Amino acid sequence: MSAFVPTRTDEPSREKRLHEPHSPPPTRPRHRIAGADVSASIAVFLIALPLSLGIALATGAPLQAGLVAAAVGGIVVGYLGGTPLQVSGPAAGLTVVTAELIQRYGWRTTCAITVLAGLAQLGLGFVRVARSALAVSPAIVHGMLAGIGVTIAVAQLHIVLGGIPHSSVLDNMRELPAQLAGVHAAALSVSALTLALLLAWPRIPGRMGGLLRKVPAPLVAVAGASTAASLAGLSLPKVDLPSWSSHALAGLPEGPVLGLVAAVLTITLVCSVQSLLGAVAVDKLVATRPELSARVGRSDLDRELLGQGAANVVSGVLGGLPVAGVAVRSSANVQAGAVSRNSTMLHGVLVVVAALLMVPILELIPLASLAALVMAVGIQMVSLHHIRTVTRHREVLVYATTTLGVVFFGVLEGVTLGIAMAVAVAMHRLTRTRITHDEKEGVHHVHVRGQLTFLAVPRLSRALHLVPQGARAVVELDGSFMDHAAYESLQDWQNTHTAHGGSVELIGRRSGVRIGEPTGPVGLHLDGTGTAESADCRCHPWTAWRNHQCEIPESVTSRDGQAGEAQAAGADDSDEAGAPGKTGAAGNTEAAGDTGASDDTGELDTVGGADTSDGTESPTGSGRPDESGVDGADRAGAGSETRGVSGGTDGSRPSGRQLARGISAFQRNTAPLVRGELARLAREGQQPSQLFLTCADSRLVTSMITSSGPGDLFVVRNVGNLVPLPGQESGDDSVAAAIEYAVDVLEVRSVTVCGHSGCGAMQTLLNSEPDGPQTPLRRWLRHGLPSLERMSDEDRPWARLAGRAPADAVEQLCLTNVVQQLEHLRAHESVARALREGALELHGMYFHVGEAQAYLLAEESEESTDDVFDHVGVADLSA
């Protein structure tokens, strides 16, 4: 599995360097470039070179302009920018804007506009408004990029087919049938080969594929197509790089003033927003590498804007394209292991060297190959992930308006239309409030969905006056805002209604908070005789996963004491038998038991330690945090306290009514939201991508820690997240059956074994006596003995967490157990076969409950033999 730094060695102490008194300290070498920066700069250079030429071709600018922008972006922004690892250069997002400016004003004036846009960026950076630029709705930004991508793809399609693109999308669409009728076979074949290599190269399987994939796919695609065209002797237009002595530089701007101002604003807007969003994305990527995050730090967005402005001034003066941060190159820079801004600057130097010394090689590249490369980039700018995201947030109308506006009218016009649509949608949401009234069992329910403003007061009054005098009413406010007019109207009606003998309960959206007090005791519903019907949990469905602790009045506690004692006794019996779940110690069970003690999520609330209400770890007699939860097996039969809704004793344990309340809350609030998706899954069947094997601990909510939903994970849970070796006589083949079904039938692409901190099964394994009674729990835990032997083997390196050693022997065994169970997985025939075919990946995961922090077992490395669980941070994988 994987391996990195030595396990049990402490951090080497720094050697003390002494020198004679009054003598100067030894000099230290300066400006040393790390080897990681050198290798990263080469990787980025190999990506930037063909893309820079392709973007220059797509804009209609001199091809040297792309190389100038790449060199200036790397050197100037790399030195001055506020995001050390962001790579800047000619960006596909600027292709449409630049092409339009060249068509309208010519190349020299376009360079002058680039200079003016750079000055505008410098001004914005000096007044420190970079953060405010991020206030633009993501739907507008992604819609703008999608519109630009569509425009690029349609235009480059003409070159791919052997023709010449027109200046507008409509013209290109109109002329496409005629272009298809007169396809240039040589150009189409070279373009098809470029696209095939571009798509196939990152998907080469196996160990050899891993080595080959280190060479960037764009370079392979262009080099392969160029080589094939040369060997075949195809007559095609190729890259033409005139002498640098004839390269056109910026001239004085010529044209109507208003048009030039609009052009400068457009370049400034697109460059700034794309660069700043790229800087934020790079921060998220850096956060996944804790050792790098401390060294690089967070981006200084104002400094980044100044660096981008300076680069645009220099690039425009030297006759280059506009410069902006580029997501593809920045992501490649971080993933290639860059550790400082030196990698970005060195990549710019390499571009300069290539532009001066590699001209004969570059002139072998067919234009059709570059066009295919840029067309692929344009298609990728229409991101399905972004479309799904804006659809989920109900902003697809803003996205579509911006995209169509950019395609048919231009970038500035499209962004303006998008902003107008975003404002209209926000106003619609603010004024759209749904108010309903219904009666159930004599109780009148008024439900308000949306923001409650003065515009909704007339409809609110009509709904409230449907409640008869003296009746019992519940008003649910499902919104985040209520203005003064709505508040006064609601308060006046409440006072009037209660004065006429009625009862009113106002339930707000915040967890555990009611607006106004109910007419009976807090937390109780009163019937006509004034007796308590039932204990009312004041937590609400949107916090159901928190395993919240609700206070139940003492009267209800004492009334339910007998039932609570009986329930706790049943739970203790289950614990003594080693059965934390419905199916017993070895059963594959989700966190749902038959004790009847569950919170609103329906998760099993079994006997464990005396957990505190906020999820922190309570101290035990041993002086270490006690994290045992659903396993709780090490205290089997020890008479441990049950954890009730108030964190108290057995008498306060929740009854089965709480389960019914949780199900009712699901049917009322969640079921309407997921019904469509579940209906689709019911029609199409499950197609999970992952098998997730983890412990039955109630604190591990798999969907929460993996951000997954229905149909995503095929989950297997048991005590200790154990995988019995195949062929062992266990009396329970449920784990092996689940593995076979997931791999062979469902064809999952990955299997994850997830352990967690404070695992009761691992504690029991450590403390068990060989001659102890063979209970079902202890018979099941014998599958964990290889993990215990592995940890005791001094010849094997210990598994550990990145950045620190395990806290104690229990955590060491929890980590070792994950590594050992992965080895057990490989012994299963279906898993071994899928691994040989390259159709399956195995992952190890560790979840620290007290820190709410996930760790992933690192990939294999030839430099180390350790098993290291890396800290998982916040990353924007779509950047």
Side-chain angles (χ1 to χ4, degrees):
M1 195 20 81
S2 10
F4 289 78
V5 211
T7 309
R8 284 169 284 204
T9 56
D10 294 329
E11 185 175 348
S13 58
R14 297 184 179 178
E15 182 184 353
K16 295 182 180 180
R17 300 186 179 183
L18 303 177
H19 54 274
E20 293 296 326
H22 309 293
S23 64
T27 58
R28 295 182 180 179
R30 304 181 64 183
H31 306 297
R32 178 178 296 175
I33 300 178
D37 283 334
V38 174
S39 59
S41 68
I42 295 173
V44 176
F45 160 72
L46 294 177
I47 295 174
L49 190 64
L51 284 176
S52 300
L53 293 171
I55 291 171
L57 172 67
T59 60
L63 295 184
Q64 294 102 319
L67 300 177
V68 170
V72 170
I75 297 172
V76 177
V77 181
Y79 184 72
L80 299 176
T83 309
L85 300 188
Q86 174 160 254
V87 181
S88 299
L94 292 160
T95 302
V96 175
V97 181
T98 310
E100 184 180 351
L101 294 180
I102 294 173
Q103 288 280 343
R104 182 176 300 177
Y105 300 111
W107 173 241
R108 293 170 65 88
T109 298
T110 300
C111 291
I113 291 173
T114 302
V115 173
L116 295 175
L119 294 174
Q121 286 181 296
L122 288 173
L124 293 174
F126 281 122
V127 298
R128 308 183 68 82
V129 297
R131 282 283 170 192
S132 60
L134 299 178
V136 180
S137 168
I140 296 174
V141 176
H142 297 318
M144 176 189 73
L145 295 176
I148 292 172
V150 170
T151 306
I152 292 172
V154 173
Q156 297 309 298
L157 181 58
H158 282 269
I159 303 179
V160 166
L161 298 174
I164 300 175
H166 299 274
S167 58
S168 71
V169 178
L170 292 177
D171 291 338
N172 284 324
M173 296 287 288
R174 192 180 301 114
E175 297 296 328
L176 192 56
Q179 186 65 63
L180 290 171
V183 172
H184 193 286
L188 182 59
S189 61
V190 168
S191 300
L193 178 59
T194 302
L195 292 174
L197 288 173
L198 193 64
L199 295 175
W201 192 259
R203 293 170 174 81
I204 299 177
R207 184 180 297 273
M208 181 60 67
L211 295 175
L212 293 176
R213 286 195 299 270
K214 293 182 179 180
V215 182
L219 178 68
V220 173
V222 173
S226 302
T227 303
S230 298
L231 294 177
L234 298 179
S235 177
L236 288 170
K238 297 182 178 179
V239 169
D240 182 18
L241 295 174
S243 171
W244 284 101
S245 60
S246 61
H247 179 61
L249 304 179
L252 293 176
E254 298 177 358
V257 176
L258 291 179
L260 293 174
V261 170
V264 171
L265 290 177
T266 303
I267 294 289
T268 303
L269 171 68
V270 178
C271 287
S272 301
V273 172
Q274 183 168 342
S275 300
L276 294 176
L277 291 176
V280 174
V282 169
D283 279 347
K284 293 178 181 179
L285 288 174
V286 170
T288 64
R289 296 169 56 189
E291 75 286 353
L292 180 61
S293 181
R295 178 171 180 173
V296 174
R298 293 184 62 83
S299 296
D300 183 341
L301 296 184
D302 291 305
R303 179 179 172 181
E304 179 66 19
L305 197 54
L306 290 171
Q308 296 289 340
N312 274 313
V313 171
V314 175
S315 181
V317 169
L318 296 180
L321 291 171
V323 171
V326 186
V328 174
R329 285 167 243 178
S330 302
S331 176
N333 192 36
V334 176
Q335 292 171 359
V339 295
S340 73
R341 62 178 71 245
N342 290 331
S343 64
T344 304
M345 298 170 62
L346 187 55
H347 125 269
V349 173
L350 292 176
V351 172
V352 173
V353 173
L356 296 176
L357 303 180
M358 294 177 59
V359 172
I361 298 176
L362 297 178
E363 289 184 336
L364 296 175
I365 301 175
L367 296 183
S369 179
L370 292 179
L373 178 63
V374 177
M375 185 180 73
V377 172
I379 293 173
Q380 291 172 355
M381 291 172 71
V382 187
S383 169
L384 293 179
H385 169 71
H386 292 152
I387 293 175
R388 285 193 293 265
T389 301
V390 298
T391 302
R392 187 166 60 249
H393 290 282
R394 298 183 299 166
E395 291 186 334
V396 69
L397 192 59
V398 178
Y399 179 92
T401 300
T402 308
T403 300
L404 294 175
V406 170
V407 169
F408 292 110
F409 302 109
V411 174
L412 190 59
E413 293 84 352
V415 170
T416 303
L417 288 174
I419 292 174
M421 181 56 69
V423 172
V425 169
M427 293 299 296
H428 175 69
R429 289 176 179 171
L430 186 62
T431 58
R432 182 171 178 260
T433 306
R434 182 183 176 190
I435 303 174
T436 60
H437 166 268
D438 62 341
E439 180 186 358
K440 294 179 182 178
E441 300 179 356
V443 180
H444 291 260
H445 294 265
V446 177
H447 194 177
V448 181
R449 290 183 181 270
Q451 318 313 317
L452 199 51
T453 67
F454 68 94
L455 297 173
V457 167
R459 284 181 292 141
L460 176 64
S461 298
R462 283 196 296 271
L464 294 176
H465 282 86
L466 294 176
V467 181
Q469 289 187 359
R472 180 179 168 193
V474 176
V475 180
E476 289 187 63
L477 304 177
D478 188 4
S480 59
F481 176 74
M482 181 195 303
D483 70 4
H484 187 67
Y487 174 80
E488 279 198 349
S489 175
L490 194 57
Q491 196 70 27
D492 291 344
W493 173 83
Q494 181 185 21
N495 294 335
T496 302
H497 190 73
T498 53
H500 287 82
S503 66
V504 178
E505 187 174 359
L506 302 180
I507 301 179
R509 189 179 175 100
R510 278 190 352 191
S511 168
V513 174
R514 293 174 186 264
I515 303 174
E517 290 293 329
T519 53
V522 175
L524 297 178
H525 291 301
L526 301 181
D527 59 17
T529 62
T531 60
E533 266 188 296
S534 65
D536 179 29
C537 172
R538 295 193 294 167
C539 297
H540 292 290
W542 47 86
T543 59
W545 57 269
R546 285 185 54 192
N547 193 22
H548 43 255
Q549 312 289 328
C550 302
E551 295 183 3
I552 296 181
E554 292 183 2
S555 59
V556 180
T557 301
S558 61
R559 186 195 66 192
D560 290 341
Q562 185 176 357
E565 291 170 6
Q567 182 183 14
D572 282 339
D573 291 340
S574 172
D575 193 48
E576 290 176 10
K582 185 181 291 186
T583 60
N588 301 331
T589 173
E590 284 291 347
D594 56 356
T595 63
S598 67
D599 61 12
D600 286 351
T601 61
E603 290 181 357
L604 179 65
D605 194 5
T606 57
V607 178
D611 287 9
T612 56
S613 63
D614 59 356
T616 55
E617 301 150 356
S618 56
T620 64
S622 62
R624 63 173 297 276
D626 175 19
E627 294 175 336
S628 64
V630 88
D631 321 10
D634 57 316
R635 287 195 288 284
S640 58
E641 290 185 345
T642 59
R643 182 182 62 195
V645 285
S646 62
T649 57
D650 298 354
S652 64
R653 194 171 181 82
S655 66
R657 287 189 298 276
Q658 186 172 347
L659 174 63
R661 260 198 313 275
I663 297 173
S664 175
F666 165 80
Q667 294 297 150
R668 181 175 65 252
N669 297 283
T670 309
L673 302 177
V674 300
R675 187 169 286 120
E677 176 67 8
L678 291 178
R680 183 188 67 80
L681 291 171
R683 290 192 307 270
E684 301 175 1
Q686 62 169 330
Q687 296 177 343
S689 61
Q690 300 179 53
L691 167 60
F692 197 86
L693 197 149
T694 188
C695 186
D697 194 300
S698 65
R699 298 166 298 179
L700 261 68
V701 186
T702 56
S703 58
M704 182 177 71
I705 63 177
T706 59
S707 298
S708 55
D712 292 339
L713 300 180
F714 187 72
V715 181
V716 176
R717 305 189 72 153
N718 60 53
V719 174
N721 46 275
L722 300 178
V723 181
L725 284 167
Q728 284 199 356
E729 186 178 348
S730 62
D732 183 359
D733 287 332
S734 59
V735 177
I739 293 171
E740 180 182 348
Y741 185 79
V743 175
D744 290 345
V745 180
L746 298 178
E747 296 181 345
V748 297
R749 295 188 296 274
S750 70
V751 181
T752 300
V753 176
C754 177
H756 67 95
S757 61
C759 181
M762 298 299 104
Q763 294 183 34
T764 302
L765 204 56
L766 276 174
N767 301 330
S768 60
E769 299 177 359
D771 300 331
Q774 290 299 306
T775 64
L777 173 64
R778 298 187 189 280
R779 285 197 298 272
W780 167 251
L781 289 181
R782 74 181 186 278
H783 300 299
L785 291 176
S787 302
L788 195 60
E789 295 169 0
R790 185 189 189 100
M791 189 180 76
S792 304
D793 188 351
E794 296 183 355
D795 295 332
R796 287 190 174 186
W798 282 359
R800 64 181 180 85
L801 299 175
R804 70 171 176 87
D808 52 26
V810 175
E811 184 167 62
Q812 181 66 73
L813 183 56
C814 292
L815 297 171
T816 305
N817 183 55
V818 172
V819 178
Q820 184 64 38
Q821 301 312 313
L822 286 171
E823 289 195 4
H824 289 185
L825 260 177
R826 292 189 182 90
H828 285 259
E829 181 182 354
S830 56
V831 174
R833 182 174 59 254
L835 288 174
R836 286 195 301 269
E837 296 171 354
L840 187 68
E841 296 178 350
L842 299 185
H843 302 288
M845 178 177 169
Y846 177 76
F847 186 75
H848 195 288
V849 177
E851 298 174 356
Q853 178 60 58
Y855 298 83
L856 284 177
L857 189 60
E859 297 292 336
E860 287 188 356
S861 169
E862 298 178 356
E863 291 120 12
S864 173
T865 58
D866 296 349
D867 298 303
V868 180
F869 288 79
D870 280 340
H871 176 284
V872 177
V874 182
D876 185 1
L877 299 180
S878 67

